[in-house]
Amino acid sequence: MTDFDHLVLGIELWHWRQQAQAQAIEAGISVTEVDWLLQEFSPLGRLTLRLDTFKTKASIPLKRSLLDLTTLWQQRLHQKVPVQYLAGSTPWRQFSLQVSPAVLIPRPETELLIDLTISAIQQNVALQQGDWADLGTGSGAIAIGLADALPLATLHAVDQSEAALVMAKQNAEQLGLDERIQFYAGSWFEPLAHFKGSLRGMVSNPPYIPTDLIVTLQPEVAQHEPHAALDGGFDGLDCIRHLVTAAPDYLIPGGIWLIEMMAGQAEAVSNLLEAQGSYREIQIHPDLAGIDRFALAYLK
């Protein structure tokens, strides 16, 4: 991390924050994003910012100059760069994960994949250990969440992007979970050939946006997040189809198949699992907004 080697007057930073918040309101951006940046680049906490107690301080150390901070904020306002990329990190579950334009920003709803896994294995000791796969790991969020939730398991995280794997490894190391997670460059199950028939579970947040819809997404997503992590082909189901077809060769009987999907895809994914013939107890689970977001099944 960068040292706090830039000093600014408390009143000067207070004025900067006031102006940035006004600009956020005008641009339709949440004012909380201003404090997100300030918490990343200064030692100021949420309560200090809320109470404005920093205003009277003679000096406040920053990781970047106020001019640099202004430049970053202008990128947020005018280029729609996600604040997570500007800050270089995002909260996810109880962790702070490093992120960059090389990886998809982990969403709060994806946290439920970990909760669903915990619920699914509670009564099955065999699934609480052994080898698990996170396919399309990106920032490493799912692998890290699973490693934390399954202390007896070994996680195998796969991604096609070398840049994403670098970031995922950094996150695992920073959180002290690097000895529990193995990382592989490649496509889906391909690097895990030696685990055929032995995986206790497979969890994935695959690309699931139909190609034609990507340009219609909010500019923060369409213009800045990696399209390879978004584009699910013509109907958004290309990667999910592959996972449905390939997973039976890798999972143990009773092993878990669990993915995130887009709103409106639940019926199609259920039908794919049913038609494949290797799965039982096919379940659809909603996210916190009540949208059918997750599909879970067990290998027969």
Side-chain angles (χ1 to χ4, degrees):
M1 297 294 284
T2 308
D3 292 326
F4 292 99
D5 49 10
H6 299 274
L7 293 178
V8 63
L9 293 171
I11 188 67
E12 192 178 0
L13 189 61
W14 182 83
H15 281 301
W16 185 92
R17 179 174 178 252
Q18 292 289 107
Q19 182 181 24
Q21 287 180 332
Q23 292 169 333
I25 292 168
E26 187 179 348
I29 293 169
S30 172
V31 293
T32 60
E33 294 195 12
V34 178
D35 286 357
W36 191 331
L37 274 186
L38 288 176
Q39 287 176 79
E40 178 62 33
F41 293 113
S42 79
L44 301 175
R46 189 178 302 171
L47 185 62
T48 303
L49 289 164
R50 187 182 303 158
L51 298 177
D52 280 347
T53 53
F54 65 94
K55 183 178 178 181
T56 57
K57 289 185 178 291
S59 65
I60 295 170
L62 299 176
K63 294 179 183 176
R64 305 278 289 269
S65 71
L66 206 53
L67 183 61
D68 286 346
L69 213 54
T70 300
T71 301
L72 289 175
W73 184 242
Q74 291 303 311
Q75 290 176 20
R76 178 72 190 99
L77 292 172
H78 302 299
Q79 297 168 34
K80 304 300 183 186
V81 179
V83 69
Q84 295 93 331
Y85 289 157
L86 297 176
S89 66
T90 191
W92 197 80
R93 290 184 77 80
Q94 72 269 38
F95 311 110
S96 176
L97 300 177
Q98 296 179 56
V99 292
S100 78
V103 300
L104 198 71
I105 297 165
R107 268 56 172 187
E109 58 262 29
T110 304
E111 296 181 16
L112 291 175
L113 284 171
I114 311 303
D115 298 321
L116 287 169
T117 300
I118 293 169
S119 177
I121 66 171
Q122 267 178 343
Q123 308 303 323
N124 191 326
V125 176
L127 294 180
Q128 296 171 19
Q129 51 200 320
D131 297 296
W132 281 71
D134 167 21
L135 303 181
T137 194
S139 65
I142 292 172
I144 285 165
L146 289 173
D148 178 68
L150 308 177
L152 300 178
T154 299
L155 276 299
H156 304 279
V158 179
D159 206 289
Q160 289 191 94
S161 166
E162 292 284 359
L165 286 171
V166 168
M167 183 141 288
K169 289 175 185 176
Q170 287 175 355
N171 281 323
E173 288 169 10
Q174 187 175 319
L175 295 165
L177 292 168
D178 48 313
E179 291 187 5
R180 303 266 321 288
I181 306 172
Q182 306 297 315
F183 293 94
Y184 307 80
S187 176
W188 305 118
F189 286 103
E190 283 176 9
L192 305 180
H194 48 303
F195 290 105
K196 282 191 174 181
S198 66
L199 291 179
R200 303 300 209 275
M202 175 229 82
V203 184
S204 181
N205 179 15
Y208 52 66
I209 308 293
T211 304
D212 290 346
L213 282 187
I214 291 177
V215 295
T216 70
L217 300 174
Q218 61 188 102
E220 286 84 349
V221 179
Q223 296 174 18
H224 297 286
E225 297 202 60
H227 281 203
L230 298 168
D231 193 341
F234 173 74
D235 60 358
L237 297 171
D238 282 2
C239 301
I240 294 174
R241 280 193 194 89
H242 176 75
L243 295 175
V244 169
T245 304
D249 289 337
Y250 292 84
L251 294 171
I252 64 167
I256 288 174
W257 187 94
L258 174 60
I259 62 138
E260 181 175 323
M261 60 192 168
M262 194 174 82
Q265 292 178 337
E267 184 178 358
V269 174
S270 293
N271 290 341
L272 286 170
L273 289 163
E274 192 70 49
Q276 205 283 333
S278 299
Y279 300 94
R280 60 177 174 83
E281 294 180 56
I282 298 166
Q283 307 165 26
I284 300 298
H285 293 273
D287 62 17
L288 295 175
I291 296 166
D292 286 339
R293 178 74 63 185
F294 310 99
L296 187 152
Y298 298 85
L299 195 70
K300 288 179 179 177

